Amino acid sequence: MTPNFITEIVERDLHSGKYPAVVTRFPPEPSGYAHLGHVFASFLDFQTAAQYGGRYHLRMDDTNPELATQEYVDAIADDLRWLGWDWGENFYSASDNFEKYYAYAEQLIRLGKAYVDSVSGDEMARLRGDAGTPGTPSPFRDRSVEENLDLFRRMRAGEFADGAHVLRAKIDLASPNMKLRDPVLYRILHASHYRAGDNWCIYPMYDFQHPLQDALEGVTHSMCSLEFVDNRAIYDWLMETLGFSPRPHQYEFGRRSLEYTVVSKRKLRKLVQEGVVTGWDDPRMPTLRAQRRLGVTPEAVLAFAAQIGVNRTNRTVDISVYENAVRDDLNHRAPRVMAVLDPVRVVIGNLPEGETRTLSLPYWPHDVIRDSPDGRVALPTGERVPPEQAVREVPLGRELYIEREDFSLDPPKGYKRLTRGGTVRLRGAGILRADEVETDAAGNVTTIHATLLEGDAKAAGVIHWVSAAHALPAEFRLYDRLFRVPNPEGDNPDDIAPDFDPERMSHENEAAPLDAGFLRYLNPHSLRVTRGFVEPSVASGPAQTRYQFERQGYFWRDPVDSREDALVFGRIITLKDTWAKETQKAEGRAPQAAQKAGKPQPGAPGPQAAGSRPQALLLTPEQEAEVARLTALGASAGDARTLVRDAQLLAFLGGAVQDGTFGQVASWTVNDLAAALRSGEVGVGAADLAPLATLLASGQITTRVARDTLARAAASGEAPARIIEREGLTTVTDSAELERVIREILAANPDKVEAYRGGKAGLMGFFTGQVMRATGGQADPKLVAQKLTEALA
RNA sequence: AGGGAUAUGGUGUAAUGGCAGCACAACAGAUUUUGGAUCUGUUUGUCUAGGUUCGAAUCCUAGUAUCCCUGCCA
């Protein structure tokens, strides 16, 4: 995992001793199959813990009895194990702790922090208010602890119908954060739970259950996606109210979508139901089961996950990143053999009937052999052998099959394959010349009569082939993207931001009508089936061997449908095909990348921004007067306008000395101290800043030193001038001293010096930085610039 | 509308006041018995406007755009 804001937090917490070890959890809801979206979240959760020597938990978030099933639990765990994760003993379910959550709920009631509400759902929504208006208390909000306890116990006992009552936290009905307006903790639901059976008729809500379970499991860093930011307030409220210590903390990350993919559970279900795909494991599906059946390896999936990156922005990842991870993995894993997917017959006139030549051809191209870390390469069995032993026998008879696409009666410009009268190299077998061509009534080529040339004839291209008498018939399933457009869920084909949820499987409102619009972007050619032939050597390879069929792509036997006597090969992924790209361009079709219409650039000048310049902020007459007063005292107009709109800054500045230093102190207040001032973390008064401003104005200290000192003083409360005096931070204006420092730096970075003299002017910043660092920021910048320019001339 | 989050090439991600880097994609060339792979090179970027600073992607101010929240889902 590359460093990111989560690893930064983990390192900080480990270093400070806040937690002895990091503990994370991946909490899927068992209400659907794991898919590529889950890979990202699970990788972040698991890999972070693994990387810092902690432990990771797999947890089934099964608080909703209507959605969770054992089948999904097993499938998710199975898929994650396939990826290589091993959580050991640490497999949990929310339903493990139903009894404990109940006890915490009673405790909350006893603390006066939760109450049983008995209004209808609609009424509760109405009372909650909206963004503009605060909520109003339910008539039941002030029930006594005894009454709440009694009602809650009777809720558990099953005395009430679904929806008759709920347990709510008593937090803040006026909060601008809607999540805090007395969130529901428990609901009545007379439903059988796949694990708890009929033991319960009340079920905890996510906001109550999740933090508690994190705490019970000893989780330290609880990661979730960005839309839970508002829920963190409940999380923290619960942890503090119940007094957990040490306690887990929630951190949110941005989601990652994938182009050309939908992962909405309901939409995937629709694809299955409509028969667009053959099932949840149809190799075109984004589910892990499907990718597994497709032949993608766990290593490739993990490599993909590691490349995506983590931050706090929702982003859409280019599908080519995934495809690249798959190809990159297979390139060094898949032995090369030949298969003809769409065959046309070739008769070699100068090869006697009945004669078979047996060729010994290498499984691997030279570059894979060259790059092998141990100097060996794999056989289809996986056994690693010296390169000279990694060969297979390939028969060559009088009749062959070649790819229909590899012969053309009317070759386009740049065509490097077989033409009438032309030559081409048969992979591993020599040069072939096409002499005569038979066609059927429709003009399709049926047979090519050819001659195998002896000696070292030349040919521009190389094509693959199989010997007709020896080849094994096979079915080929050629998969392509399920959708024609990057964002099938968008309103138009150019939208490229699919709604894609890495962690949750059921955020969708099951009751809302499903927008089936995405179906119109289905790729009609997402599956092409052909019948052709593979070379006989593959018969002896293990069933799970991934092969590269040269010039065609990576394939393996379909684990479900392939039979010993009826081979079915599925294409895992194509090879990159620059020729196809060229021909597309030649036909005037835009290459794929260009088809991606640029989305409107965020921040590109919109209609409003373009013409009108930002208008000055409107100030009240009182504020205008205050601005006039501050500017008269020496503050800049900009600083003054900022100051008058911020009471805290203004209050601080009220203590400033009103002399020649005022403008500087005002500037520091606005530019350097504002954030700390608002959070009440400034330990010095404005009056203490005047001596510092005087020192700066007189040139005795540099701006850099002044600001550093300011920050330190603000944090410690010590008078800045005293820090300067104690540490002797006055400006270095000694030319000889500076020249010495510069000489040392230049001597230590000869390459940079050369680059600078070669024209890389940006390096001046680097050198200045080095000098500043060496002098603790005390060097006079003007002098530094001058001396540096001289020294580098 | 109120609250919250975010903004770096075509895409994804680094740079924690000092060289805007890396990967994917694209393009060009080399190489190649896979139109694959590999190698070399090139194009393209700090949302906008001000400010602080010798120096700003980074700090300050204002604006713009996008996303999230107002389920008894998670």
Side-chain angles (χ1 to χ4, degrees):
Chain A
M1 167 133 329
T2 50
N4 57 67
F5 78 101
I6 301 273
T7 60
E8 213 167 275
I9 291 165
V10 167
E11 282 180 20
R12 186 196 64 202
D13 290 347
L14 252 19
H15 186 254
S16 73
K18 183 171 178 180
Y19 307 108
V22 57
V23 181
T24 64
R25 103 274 90 117
F26 174 58
E29 183 184 41
S31 63
Y33 292 98
H35 51 65
L36 286 173
H38 294 101
V39 167
F40 173 65
S42 60
F43 185 82
L44 176 61
D45 285 329
F46 290 168
Q47 182 61 25
T48 300
Q51 192 164 312
Y52 290 95
R55 60 173 208 269
Y56 51 87
H57 300 176
L58 176 61
R59 176 198 309 163
M60 294 299 155
D61 224 337
D62 58 1
T63 53
N64 188 338
E66 294 177 317
L67 296 177
T69 71
Q70 188 63 45
E71 186 202 345
Y72 292 129
V73 170
D74 296 339
I76 292 168
D78 184 52
D79 286 339
L80 289 171
R81 263 190 300 265
W82 172 72
L83 278 177
W85 301 113
D86 178 8
W87 43 85
E89 304 286 290
N90 296 302
F91 177 86
Y92 303 100
S93 293
S95 53
D96 293 340
N97 300 314
F98 279 164
E99 197 63 52
K100 287 180 183 163
Y101 308 140
Y102 179 83
Y104 283 119
E106 286 209 352
Q107 188 182 337
L108 237 30
I109 293 172
R110 279 191 293 270
L111 288 167
K113 302 284 191 185
Y115 62 99
V116 173
D117 200 355
S118 309
V119 297
S120 70
D122 288 348
E123 178 68 356
M124 195 190 303
R126 195 180 65 80
L127 291 174
R128 186 155 30 226
D130 59 36
T133 51
T136 49
S138 151
F140 306 103
R141 195 171 196 255
D142 291 317
R143 290 214 254 231
S144 69
V145 169
E146 292 69 30
E147 188 183 2
N148 281 323
L149 232 30
D150 174 61
L151 280 168
F152 189 50
R153 285 172 183 163
R154 288 164 61 197
M155 280 168 63
R156 175 179 181 170
E159 291 189 24
F160 307 115
D162 290 1
H165 307 278
V166 292
L167 184 73
R168 297 178 76 180
K170 190 186 281 190
I171 307 182
D172 181 4
L173 284 170
S175 173
N177 179 355
M178 300 296 292
K179 295 280 183 200
L180 249 23
R181 319 252 263 224
D182 288 10
V184 173
L185 269 23
Y186 263 94
R187 58 171 169 163
I188 300 174
L189 198 62
H190 291 269
S192 270
H193 188 275
Y194 77 105
R195 285 184 77 221
D198 295 320
N199 289 341
W200 293 87
C201 60
I202 57 173
Y203 290 94
M205 307 298 290
Y206 168 87
D207 281 317
F208 184 61
Q209 181 278 143
H210 207 95
L212 289 179
Q213 175 134 10
D214 282 346
L216 292 173
E217 286 180 19
V219 165
T220 57
H221 299 77
S222 180
M223 277 84 90
C224 62
S225 49
L226 224 41
E227 71 269 23
F228 289 93
V229 173
D230 294 339
N231 303 58
R232 188 177 62 227
I234 308 179
Y235 196 110
D236 291 339
W237 179 87
L238 252 187
M239 291 295 104
E240 280 157 28
T241 309
L242 259 15
F244 283 97
S245 178
R247 47 154 288 195
H249 285 268
Q250 172 184 307
Y251 301 97
E252 309 87 15
F253 54 83
R255 304 182 309 202
R256 294 292 176 273
S257 354
L258 230 206
E259 291 176 339
Y260 298 94
T261 308
V262 304
V263 290
S264 147
K265 182 182 60 181
R266 297 165 75 212
K267 286 178 182 164
L268 293 180
R269 193 194 300 142
K270 180 109 183 153
L271 294 172
V272 174
Q273 282 169 351
E274 301 271 317
V276 173
V277 296
T278 57
W280 291 94
D281 68 343
D282 185 299
R284 293 166 289 176
M285 294 281 272
T287 54
L288 287 182
R289 307 183 96 55
Q291 294 301 299
R292 193 169 162 179
R293 177 172 172 190
L294 214 209
V296 170
T297 67
E299 289 81 2
V301 175
L302 256 17
F304 165 67
Q307 282 163 34
I308 294 178
V310 184
N311 62 16
R312 280 173 67 85
T313 321
N314 293 329
R315 286 284 168 76
T316 301
V317 175
D318 201 312
I319 188 73
S320 68
V321 175
Y322 184 63
E323 294 177 341
N324 176 260
V326 174
R327 283 197 189 99
D328 199 45
D329 171 75
L330 258 12
N331 183 32
H332 293 269
R333 185 190 293 275
R336 273 56 164 177
V337 296
M338 293 190 285
V340 175
L341 277 41
D342 181 15
V344 63
R345 203 163 70 108
V346 176
V347 178
I348 301 176
N350 59 338
L351 216 58
E353 202 147 349
E355 181 180 322
T356 299
R357 296 184 186 172
T358 301
L359 310 169
S360 178
L361 302 185
Y363 272 120
W364 298 96
H366 68 281
D367 52 282
V368 172
I369 294 171
R370 183 197 60 213
D371 296 341
S372 167
D374 59 356
R376 295 173 166 239
V377 285
L379 294 173
T381 56
E383 186 195 352
R384 296 185 73 81
V385 297
E388 60 274 15
Q389 290 173 31
V391 296
R392 83 284 188 192
E393 293 193 342
V394 180
L396 169 67
R398 178 180 163 87
E399 286 197 16
L400 311 178
Y401 294 118
I402 66 168
E403 211 69 62
R404 187 164 288 278
E405 276 201 338
D406 286 341
F407 177 82
S408 176
L409 286 169
D410 177 25
K413 188 165 169 281
Y415 191 76
K416 295 202 296 191
R417 309 174 189 181
L418 194 58
T419 57
R420 200 202 313 248
T423 58
V424 76
R425 182 177 292 278
L426 286 182
R427 181 66 189 226
I431 305 294
L432 188 76
R433 188 187 63 224
D435 302 317
E436 300 294 333
V437 179
E438 292 178 31
T439 55
D440 63 14
N444 298 312
V445 176
T446 52
T447 303
I448 300 162
H449 294 276
T451 307
L452 198 55
L453 303 179
E454 303 299 332
D456 55 350
K458 288 253 185 269
V462 185
I463 65 171
H464 58 276
W465 54 275
V466 293
S467 177
H470 311 88
L472 273 17
E475 174 182 322
F476 299 96
R477 298 183 180 172
L478 309 178
Y479 303 109
D480 198 355
R481 294 165 183 165
L482 236 196
F483 293 97
R484 294 155 23 219
V485 300
N487 176 18
E489 296 177 286
D491 288 334
N492 64 70
D494 292 342
D495 289 350
I496 50 173
D499 176 25
F500 187 60
D501 191 317
E503 176 161 318
R504 299 169 358 180
M505 297 205 196
S506 74
H507 67 110
E508 308 153 64
N509 185 341
E510 293 279 340
L514 178 68
D515 179 4
F518 70 105
L519 291 175
R520 78 198 127 128
Y521 298 126
L522 280 168
N523 173 6
H525 311 298
S526 63
L527 171 60
R528 219 177 91 227
V529 179
T530 71
R531 300 206 58 88
F533 301 91
V534 297
E535 65 169 69
S537 74
V538 302
S540 56
Q544 73 278 12
T545 306
R546 281 99 169 158
Y547 288 101
Q548 184 192 108
F549 293 163
E550 288 206 49
R551 305 208 305 128
Q552 288 292 354
Y554 296 97
F555 290 73
W556 79 333
R557 293 176 179 75
D558 186 281
V560 176
D561 293 337
S562 189
R563 301 278 176 278
E564 189 93 355
D565 56 350
L567 293 169
V568 177
F569 280 92
R571 185 172 66 196
I572 304 167
I573 195 161
T574 61
L575 260 22
K576 275 207 234 169
D577 191 347
T578 50
W579 171 244
K581 217 157 46 184
E582 296 240 339
T583 49
Q584 272 189 14
K585 268 191 287 190
E587 287 168 26
R589 275 152 60 191
Q592 217 160 54
Q595 277 175 2
K596 288 179 196 168
K599 66 174 172 188
Q601 288 306 301
Q608 297 131 327
S612 63
R613 60 186 182 80
Q615 51 186 346
L617 282 158
L618 292 174
L619 299 180
T620 64
E622 294 76 27
Q623 287 173 324
E624 292 289 4
E626 186 69 0
V627 167
R629 189 182 69 85
L630 292 172
T631 48
L633 283 168
S636 75
D639 288 344
R641 297 181 72 84
T642 301
L643 284 161
V644 299
R645 283 175 299 111
D646 192 313
Q648 274 173 296
L649 301 190
L650 210 49
F652 175 81
L653 195 62
V657 179
Q658 300 191 355
D659 61 8
T661 65
F662 187 86
Q664 181 60 258
V665 173
S667 169
W668 281 335
T669 304
V670 171
N671 289 303
D672 294 276
L673 260 20
L677 235 24
R678 292 195 188 99
S679 56
E681 288 166 1
V682 174
V684 291
D688 300 328
L689 270 34
L692 190 66
T694 306
L695 283 171
L696 176 62
S698 67
Q700 293 179 69
I701 60 172
T702 61
T703 314
R704 164 81 162 254
V705 166
R707 299 175 77 159
D708 287 352
T709 307
L710 188 59
R712 289 171 56 194
S716 71
E718 190 178 0
R722 189 149 52 224
I723 297 178
I724 304 279
E725 188 183 357
R726 173 157 47 82
E727 301 188 6
L729 299 175
T730 50
T731 302
V732 175
T733 50
D734 179 347
S735 291
E737 167 68 5
L738 259 186
E739 280 163 12
R740 188 187 62 76
V741 170
I742 288 172
R743 264 198 310 279
E744 277 176 19
I745 287 165
L746 263 42
N749 298 282
D751 49 330
K752 298 268 205 280
V753 173
E754 195 180 338
Y756 178 85
R757 289 183 175 142
K760 198 162 157 103
L763 283 168
M764 181 55 85
F766 166 79
F767 290 119
T768 310
Q770 292 295 306
V771 176
M772 287 303 179
R773 187 156 305 158
T775 58
Q778 294 177 64
D780 174 35
K782 287 199 185 67
L783 197 57
V784 171
Q786 183 199 328
K787 293 293 174 194
L788 224 30
T789 308
E790 286 171 19
L792 284 165

